[in-house]
Amino acid sequence: MSSTNLLIRHAQILLPNGDFLSGDVLIRDRQIAQVAPGIRPPEDATDFTEIDASGLTLLPGVIDPQVHFREPGLEHKEDLFTASCACARGGVTSFLEMPNTRPLTTNQQALDDKLQRAKQKCLVNYGFFIGATGDNTPDLLAVNPTPGIKIFMGSMHGQLLVDKEAALEKIFAQGDRLIAVHAEDQARINQRRQEFAGIKDPAIHSQIQDVTAALNATQLALKLSKKYQRRLHILHMSTGDEAELLRQDKPSWVTAEVTPQHLLLNTDAYAQIGTLAQMNPPLRSPHDNEVLWQALLDGVIDFIATDHAPHTLEEKAQEYPNTPSGMPGVETSLALMLTQAMQGRCTVAQVSHWMSTAVAKAYRIPNKGAIAAGYDADLVLVDLNTYHPVLREELQTKCRWSPFEGWELTGWAVTTIVGGQIAYNKGKLDTNVKGEALRFDARQ
Ligand code: DOR
């Protein structure tokens, strides 16, 4: 294992209060020991690495709370090793992964299998959702460790689809674990698929899985959450209407997230990148982009996830509707959002809050999401002065494409540190670095 004793010098350090400090960070035994200007290496130090961070900005490592990393069972698209390399390159030091693998992650055995695989392969820290099937309530309540229960209310087929109100209510009524919903109304999608059958233009995807399908499901999830005061998280909110609904009526135990795609891309993307723009919930209008941005800025939406959902270019080259939905994201999310900050849309401190601090809080992940003594040394040094395009040949994700190819971005990760280990530095990965299983038991 690489040294976990580090001294980062001359960085612009983002402090928990949102201010920046020009100074140093001392890391010992995987944790932040000191944050101050002019730190000297300890006298007893034998194994210390110094990093000169002049001109760079130090942020807490990104925690991406919704990814699909495809292992086990779909490794032709991605696997835990390649995905975690992409994370390290993107400044993502922890991820929460979804249960639609093969086998599905619906019981302790499948969860343990993923944890075991991740322990051997992942350069970054990891956690795995448990999937609701409609008849696995005892598993949903008993498994550990997990950030929560994932329910696909729509946009899914087979065992992981739970689309009937009675079945949903049974899950909401038992236990108190966080429920994260993919909110789309499957009955409406089915009906509109028939109405629009035969249309091969992928732009129709946003019409079939329309704004009403998303709004119906979010309304139902909110209703059930209020009835049982059940901790609810709304995944990848895509429409202005859902944001306005939450603005009017958001119980304190409800959180919501948005993806960079739903903020920065819209239905115009189909004309440019065709089926690469196809995802669930689908891209919406420029007006939806604006309303989602405002909701994020106002705190109606709590944080950002990528919904990294890689498919191969061959799969995406089929004809709609045979093409799979989803796009990769972990490698570009931080730079995309920091570019927005540098262009004045928000602040760097807000980006870090949405991509790290707020996620740690919502999922009760202890010791992460801040640069302060005693916190885990999961950090990313970014360069906010240089612009560099998204290039296919530099991507680490196994699918090797991005909907943002050619976009000129700033704020790229220069160095990514996981538990005090340098996982990525100036274009080079250290594949000996290993992350750890996340815990979800922080005291509020
Ligand atoms: O577009 C999507 N693709 N949305 C999802 O929720 C699932 C994902 C996938 O697994 O491909």
Side-chain angles (χ1 to χ4, degrees):
M1 188 200 292
S2 67
S3 160
T4 63
N5 295 326
L6 291 180
L7 181 56
I8 302 170
R9 312 199 79 162
H10 313 302
Q12 290 299 314
I13 303 162
L14 177 65
L15 300 175
N17 67 2
D19 290 345
F20 285 90
L21 171 81
S22 294
D24 307 341
V25 173
L26 179 69
I27 295 164
R28 297 195 82 167
D29 302 326
R30 305 182 79 102
Q31 291 199 333
I32 297 168
Q34 196 185 357
V35 182
I39 300 176
R40 302 254 123 253
E43 303 272 305
D44 62 343
T46 48
D47 178 20
F48 251 85
T49 305
E50 265 192 40
I51 298 177
D52 179 5
S54 303
L56 303 177
T57 300
L58 188 67
L59 305 174
V62 171
I63 308 172
D64 190 334
Q66 193 196 166
V67 300
H68 302 265
F69 283 174
R70 309 303 191 202
E71 180 174 351
L74 299 163
E75 289 93 340
H76 68 286
K77 298 176 197 274
E78 189 79 279
D79 62 56
L80 286 165
F81 173 70
T82 54
S84 73
C85 289
C87 284
R89 175 167 180 253
V92 176
T93 52
S94 299
F95 65 80
L96 305 181
E97 207 260 352
M98 287 298 165
N100 56 330
T101 41
R102 307 280 180 276
L104 307 173
T105 321
T106 54
N107 55 36
Q108 187 71 51
Q109 191 190 352
L111 178 64
D112 286 342
D113 176 51
K114 275 192 174 174
L115 287 163
Q116 204 49 42
R117 289 166 182 266
K119 188 177 179 184
Q120 280 154 24
K121 297 185 171 188
C122 277
L123 280 68
V124 302
N125 306 311
Y126 44 85
F128 299 99
F129 279 89
I130 184 81
T133 64
D135 62 5
N136 68 339
T137 316
D139 296 299
L140 298 182
L141 301 178
V143 300
N144 258 313
T146 188
I149 298 165
K150 166 72 181 277
I151 305 181
F152 282 93
M153 298 172 72
S155 259
M156 187 41 73
H157 45 80
Q159 274 189 296
L160 276 190
L161 177 68
V162 185
D163 58 344
K164 303 288 179 294
E165 183 165 344
L168 289 164
E169 181 148 4
K170 254 176 54 189
I171 301 169
F172 274 79
Q174 293 180 60
D176 56 9
R177 179 165 265 174
L178 178 148
I179 293 175
V181 291
H182 178 129
E184 288 192 273
D185 174 352
Q186 190 61 36
R188 183 170 172 92
I189 294 173
N190 291 344
Q191 176 211 325
R192 289 175 74 79
R193 259 191 204 141
Q194 289 187 359
E195 277 170 39
F196 295 99
I199 300 180
K200 299 192 181 338
D201 177 355
I204 202 67
H205 190 63
S206 295
Q207 297 294 319
I208 295 174
Q209 303 192 196
D210 69 347
V211 169
T212 306
L215 184 63
N216 287 352
T218 293
Q219 274 168 334
L220 175 57
L222 263 181
K223 181 178 99 175
L224 293 172
S225 165
K226 286 203 279 195
K227 181 165 177 186
Y228 296 100
Q229 301 211 352
R230 183 65 182 262
R231 175 80 179 88
L232 170 68
H233 176 65
I234 300 162
L235 298 159
H236 45 37
M237 225 166 62
S238 64
T239 70
D241 286 359
E242 290 164 283
E244 288 307 310
L245 173 72
L246 279 195
R247 189 185 288 280
Q248 301 305 322
D249 181 16
K250 187 182 176 208
S252 59
W253 57 88
V254 174
T255 51
E257 77 190 22
V258 64
T259 68
Q261 306 83 292
H262 288 113
L263 292 171
L264 301 172
L265 300 176
N266 53 54
T267 47
D268 295 347
Y270 293 114
Q272 288 139 22
I273 57 172
T275 55
L276 298 185
Q278 181 191 331
M279 70 171 294
N280 298 332
L283 298 178
R284 307 295 184 193
S285 70
H287 176 70
D288 289 290
N289 295 149
E290 292 308 310
V291 181
L292 291 168
W293 260 111
Q294 198 55 51
L296 182 64
L297 289 164
D298 293 343
V300 174
I301 297 176
D302 299 86
F303 51 82
I304 288 173
T306 65
D307 191 20
H308 180 94
H311 299 284
T312 66
L313 282 168
E314 292 71 30
E315 291 165 335
K316 282 288 198 179
Q318 296 167 79
E319 200 166 46
Y320 186 84
N322 300 324
T323 36
S325 293
M327 42 179 95
V330 290
E331 234 159 317
T332 46
S333 55
L334 180 60
L336 282 166
M337 294 306 296
L338 288 174
T339 301
Q340 293 295 307
M342 295 315 282
Q343 293 175 357
R345 186 126 209 192
C346 56
T347 67
V348 171
Q350 280 174 314
V351 169
S352 181
H353 177 79
W354 298 327
M355 300 189 76
S356 186
T357 316
V359 179
K361 178 166 177 258
Y363 284 102
R364 305 176 60 211
I365 303 170
N367 265 18
K368 301 210 187 278
I371 304 180
Y375 277 75
D376 294 342
D378 295 340
L379 300 161
V380 56
L381 272 172
V382 298
D383 177 357
L384 292 170
N385 303 308
T386 312
Y387 275 78
H388 180 77
V390 179
L391 296 175
R392 184 171 285 192
E393 59 269 27
E394 290 179 357
L395 294 170
Q396 295 294 323
T397 172
K398 198 185 275 186
C399 75
R400 294 200 76 113
W401 61 271
S402 163
F404 300 104
E405 276 167 55
W407 286 40
E408 290 279 342
L409 304 180
T410 189
W412 287 100
V414 175
T415 308
T416 304
I417 296 166
V418 180
Q421 311 158 84
I422 301 173
Y424 173 81
N425 191 36
K426 297 181 182 148
K428 285 212 172 65
L429 292 157
D430 180 350
T431 56
N432 292 317
V433 167
K434 295 289 172 284
E436 289 186 323
L438 294 169
R439 290 171 28 218
F440 307 98
D441 56 2
R443 286 208 212 110
Q444 295 290 9

Short mmCIF file of all heavy atoms in Angstrom, two decimals, residues 66 68 70 77 98 100 150 152 154-156 182 184 205 236 278-281 307-311 316 324-327, ligand 1:
data_model
loop_
_atom_site.label_atom_id
_atom_site.label_comp_id
_atom_site.label_asym_id
_atom_site.label_seq_id
_atom_site.Cartn_x
_atom_site.Cartn_y
_atom_site.Cartn_z
N GLN A 66 -25.28 7.86 -6.76
CA GLN A 66 -26.06 6.97 -7.61
C GLN A 66 -25.27 6.56 -8.84
O GLN A 66 -25.12 7.35 -9.78
CB GLN A 66 -27.39 7.59 -8.06
CG GLN A 66 -28.28 6.52 -8.65
CD GLN A 66 -29.46 6.95 -9.49
OE1 GLN A 66 -30.04 6.12 -10.18
NE2 GLN A 66 -29.83 8.20 -9.44
N HIS A 68 -24.24 2.94 -11.51
CA HIS A 68 -24.49 1.54 -11.91
C HIS A 68 -23.16 1.00 -12.44
O HIS A 68 -22.73 1.40 -13.53
CB HIS A 68 -25.55 1.48 -13.02
CG HIS A 68 -26.85 2.10 -12.65
ND1 HIS A 68 -27.91 1.37 -12.15
CD2 HIS A 68 -27.27 3.38 -12.69
CE1 HIS A 68 -28.94 2.19 -11.91
NE2 HIS A 68 -28.58 3.41 -12.23
N ARG A 70 -22.30 -2.35 -12.78
CA ARG A 70 -22.50 -3.52 -13.68
C ARG A 70 -21.91 -4.84 -13.22
O ARG A 70 -22.05 -5.83 -13.93
CB ARG A 70 -21.95 -3.21 -15.09
CG ARG A 70 -22.44 -1.91 -15.73
CD ARG A 70 -23.92 -1.85 -15.82
NE ARG A 70 -24.39 -0.75 -16.65
CZ ARG A 70 -25.61 -0.23 -16.55
NH1 ARG A 70 -26.47 -0.71 -15.66
NH2 ARG A 70 -25.98 0.74 -17.34
N LYS A 77 -19.98 -4.12 -19.98
CA LYS A 77 -20.22 -2.67 -20.01
C LYS A 77 -19.24 -1.92 -19.09
O LYS A 77 -18.81 -0.80 -19.38
CB LYS A 77 -21.64 -2.35 -19.51
CG LYS A 77 -22.78 -2.94 -20.32
CD LYS A 77 -24.11 -2.62 -19.64
CE LYS A 77 -25.26 -3.45 -20.11
NZ LYS A 77 -25.94 -2.93 -21.30
N MET A 98 -26.04 0.83 -7.43
CA MET A 98 -27.43 0.38 -7.53
C MET A 98 -27.56 -1.13 -7.75
O MET A 98 -26.65 -1.77 -8.25
CB MET A 98 -28.11 1.15 -8.67
CG MET A 98 -28.38 2.58 -8.29
SD MET A 98 -29.52 2.59 -6.88
CE MET A 98 -29.34 4.27 -6.29
N ASN A 100 -29.28 -3.17 -9.80
CA ASN A 100 -29.70 -3.86 -11.03
C ASN A 100 -28.52 -4.52 -11.75
O ASN A 100 -28.27 -4.29 -12.92
CB ASN A 100 -30.47 -2.91 -11.95
CG ASN A 100 -29.70 -1.65 -12.33
OD1 ASN A 100 -28.89 -1.16 -11.56
ND2 ASN A 100 -29.96 -1.13 -13.51
N LYS A 150 -33.50 0.65 -2.65
CA LYS A 150 -33.79 1.25 -3.95
C LYS A 150 -35.08 0.67 -4.48
O LYS A 150 -35.23 -0.55 -4.59
CB LYS A 150 -32.64 0.95 -4.93
CG LYS A 150 -32.97 1.23 -6.41
CD LYS A 150 -33.06 2.72 -6.70
CE LYS A 150 -33.41 3.02 -8.15
NZ LYS A 150 -32.27 2.99 -9.07
N PHE A 152 -37.41 0.83 -7.90
CA PHE A 152 -37.72 1.26 -9.26
C PHE A 152 -39.24 1.27 -9.37
O PHE A 152 -39.86 0.22 -9.51
CB PHE A 152 -37.15 0.29 -10.29
CG PHE A 152 -35.67 0.43 -10.55
CD1 PHE A 152 -34.75 -0.35 -9.84
CD2 PHE A 152 -35.18 1.31 -11.51
CE1 PHE A 152 -33.39 -0.25 -10.09
CE2 PHE A 152 -33.82 1.41 -11.76
CZ PHE A 152 -32.92 0.63 -11.05
N GLY A 154 -40.67 2.64 -11.81
CA GLY A 154 -40.88 2.54 -13.25
C GLY A 154 -39.55 2.40 -13.95
O GLY A 154 -38.50 2.38 -13.31
N SER A 155 -39.61 2.26 -15.32
CA SER A 155 -38.38 2.19 -16.10
C SER A 155 -37.56 0.96 -15.80
O SER A 155 -36.34 1.02 -15.82
CB SER A 155 -37.49 3.38 -15.78
OG SER A 155 -37.57 4.34 -16.72
N MET A 156 -38.21 -0.09 -15.45
CA MET A 156 -37.48 -1.32 -15.11
C MET A 156 -38.42 -2.46 -15.48
O MET A 156 -39.62 -2.28 -15.56
CB MET A 156 -37.19 -1.30 -13.61
CG MET A 156 -36.29 -2.37 -13.03
SD MET A 156 -34.84 -2.86 -13.95
CE MET A 156 -33.73 -1.47 -13.76
N HIS A 182 -36.61 5.61 -7.89
CA HIS A 182 -36.60 6.02 -9.29
C HIS A 182 -38.07 6.25 -9.62
O HIS A 182 -38.85 5.31 -9.75
CB HIS A 182 -36.00 4.92 -10.17
CG HIS A 182 -36.00 5.27 -11.64
ND1 HIS A 182 -34.88 5.18 -12.42
CD2 HIS A 182 -36.99 5.70 -12.46
CE1 HIS A 182 -35.17 5.56 -13.66
NE2 HIS A 182 -36.47 5.87 -13.71
N GLU A 184 -40.82 7.07 -11.85
CA GLU A 184 -41.51 7.18 -13.13
C GLU A 184 -42.70 6.23 -13.08
O GLU A 184 -42.61 5.14 -12.50
CB GLU A 184 -40.59 6.83 -14.31
CG GLU A 184 -39.53 7.87 -14.59
CD GLU A 184 -38.82 7.62 -15.92
OE1 GLU A 184 -37.84 6.84 -15.93
OE2 GLU A 184 -39.25 8.19 -16.92
N HIS A 205 -38.25 9.41 -26.99
CA HIS A 205 -38.05 8.85 -25.64
C HIS A 205 -38.55 9.83 -24.57
O HIS A 205 -39.18 9.42 -23.59
CB HIS A 205 -36.57 8.55 -25.44
CG HIS A 205 -36.27 7.77 -24.20
ND1 HIS A 205 -36.74 6.49 -24.00
CD2 HIS A 205 -35.55 8.09 -23.09
CE1 HIS A 205 -36.34 6.07 -22.81
NE2 HIS A 205 -35.62 7.01 -22.24
N HIS A 236 -32.38 11.26 -9.08
CA HIS A 236 -32.30 11.96 -10.38
C HIS A 236 -33.61 12.65 -10.81
O HIS A 236 -34.24 12.26 -11.80
CB HIS A 236 -31.81 11.05 -11.50
CG HIS A 236 -32.39 9.67 -11.58
ND1 HIS A 236 -33.72 9.39 -11.32
CD2 HIS A 236 -31.82 8.50 -11.94
CE1 HIS A 236 -33.92 8.11 -11.51
NE2 HIS A 236 -32.80 7.55 -11.87
N GLN A 278 -29.98 9.10 -24.64
CA GLN A 278 -31.14 8.38 -24.08
C GLN A 278 -30.83 7.90 -22.67
O GLN A 278 -29.89 7.13 -22.46
CB GLN A 278 -31.47 7.19 -24.99
CG GLN A 278 -32.66 6.37 -24.55
CD GLN A 278 -32.75 5.07 -25.32
OE1 GLN A 278 -32.31 4.98 -26.48
NE2 GLN A 278 -33.30 4.04 -24.69
N MET A 279 -31.61 8.37 -21.72
CA MET A 279 -31.46 7.89 -20.34
C MET A 279 -32.82 7.92 -19.66
O MET A 279 -33.78 8.48 -20.19
CB MET A 279 -30.46 8.74 -19.55
CG MET A 279 -30.91 10.15 -19.22
SD MET A 279 -29.79 11.00 -18.06
CE MET A 279 -29.99 10.05 -16.55
N ASN A 280 -32.89 7.32 -18.47
CA ASN A 280 -34.12 7.31 -17.68
C ASN A 280 -33.86 7.87 -16.29
O ASN A 280 -32.95 7.37 -15.62
CB ASN A 280 -34.64 5.88 -17.52
CG ASN A 280 -34.99 5.26 -18.85
OD1 ASN A 280 -35.34 5.94 -19.80
ND2 ASN A 280 -34.87 3.93 -18.92
N PRO A 281 -34.64 8.84 -15.84
CA PRO A 281 -35.66 9.55 -16.60
C PRO A 281 -35.01 10.36 -17.71
O PRO A 281 -33.86 10.79 -17.59
CB PRO A 281 -36.32 10.45 -15.56
CG PRO A 281 -35.31 10.61 -14.47
CD PRO A 281 -34.51 9.35 -14.46
N ASP A 307 -25.76 9.11 -11.77
CA ASP A 307 -26.47 7.99 -12.39
C ASP A 307 -25.59 7.35 -13.47
O ASP A 307 -26.09 6.95 -14.53
CB ASP A 307 -27.82 8.44 -12.96
CG ASP A 307 -28.70 7.27 -13.36
OD1 ASP A 307 -28.46 6.15 -12.88
OD2 ASP A 307 -29.64 7.48 -14.16
N HIS A 308 -24.29 7.30 -13.22
CA HIS A 308 -23.33 6.65 -14.16
C HIS A 308 -23.92 5.30 -14.59
O HIS A 308 -24.03 4.38 -13.79
CB HIS A 308 -21.99 6.47 -13.44
CG HIS A 308 -20.91 5.82 -14.24
ND1 HIS A 308 -19.98 6.55 -14.96
CD2 HIS A 308 -20.59 4.53 -14.44
CE1 HIS A 308 -19.13 5.73 -15.56
NE2 HIS A 308 -19.47 4.49 -15.26
N ALA A 309 -24.31 5.21 -15.86
CA ALA A 309 -24.98 4.00 -16.36
C ALA A 309 -24.43 3.65 -17.73
O ALA A 309 -25.03 3.92 -18.76
CB ALA A 309 -26.50 4.23 -16.43
N PRO A 310 -23.23 3.03 -17.74
CA PRO A 310 -22.55 2.79 -19.02
C PRO A 310 -23.18 1.65 -19.82
O PRO A 310 -23.64 0.64 -19.27
CB PRO A 310 -21.13 2.40 -18.58
CG PRO A 310 -21.27 1.89 -17.19
CD PRO A 310 -22.44 2.62 -16.59
N HIS A 311 -23.23 1.86 -21.13
CA HIS A 311 -23.57 0.81 -22.10
C HIS A 311 -22.54 0.91 -23.22
O HIS A 311 -21.99 2.00 -23.46
CB HIS A 311 -24.97 1.05 -22.68
CG HIS A 311 -26.06 1.03 -21.64
ND1 HIS A 311 -26.53 -0.14 -21.08
CD2 HIS A 311 -26.74 2.03 -21.05
CE1 HIS A 311 -27.48 0.16 -20.19
NE2 HIS A 311 -27.62 1.46 -20.15
N LYS A 316 -25.51 0.99 -27.94
CA LYS A 316 -26.13 2.29 -28.20
C LYS A 316 -26.34 2.54 -29.70
O LYS A 316 -27.07 3.45 -30.09
CB LYS A 316 -25.25 3.40 -27.62
CG LYS A 316 -25.38 3.57 -26.11
CD LYS A 316 -26.72 4.21 -25.74
CE LYS A 316 -26.72 4.79 -24.36
NZ LYS A 316 -28.02 5.43 -24.01
N PRO A 324 -30.37 0.62 -25.11
CA PRO A 324 -30.50 0.76 -23.65
C PRO A 324 -30.36 2.23 -23.21
O PRO A 324 -29.68 3.02 -23.87
CB PRO A 324 -29.32 -0.07 -23.11
CG PRO A 324 -28.31 -0.08 -24.21
CD PRO A 324 -29.07 0.06 -25.51
N SER A 325 -31.00 2.56 -22.11
CA SER A 325 -30.95 3.93 -21.57
C SER A 325 -29.79 4.06 -20.58
O SER A 325 -29.55 3.14 -19.80
CB SER A 325 -32.26 4.24 -20.83
OG SER A 325 -33.32 4.31 -21.74
N GLY A 326 -29.15 5.20 -20.61
CA GLY A 326 -28.10 5.45 -19.62
C GLY A 326 -26.85 6.00 -20.25
O GLY A 326 -26.57 5.77 -21.42
N MET A 327 -26.11 6.78 -19.45
CA MET A 327 -24.85 7.38 -19.90
C MET A 327 -23.86 7.41 -18.73
O MET A 327 -24.28 7.48 -17.57
CB MET A 327 -25.08 8.78 -20.45
CG MET A 327 -26.04 9.64 -19.69
SD MET A 327 -26.21 11.30 -20.40
CE MET A 327 -27.64 11.15 -21.44
O1 DOR B 1 -30.88 5.53 -17.83
C1 DOR B 1 -30.82 4.73 -16.91
N1 DOR B 1 -30.04 3.63 -16.99
N2 DOR B 1 -31.55 4.94 -15.80
C2 DOR B 1 -31.65 3.99 -14.83
O2 DOR B 1 -32.28 4.25 -13.84
C3 DOR B 1 -31.00 2.69 -15.00
C4 DOR B 1 -29.80 2.83 -15.83
C5 DOR B 1 -29.12 1.55 -16.21
O3 DOR B 1 -28.92 0.70 -15.32
O4 DOR B 1 -28.73 1.41 -17.36
#
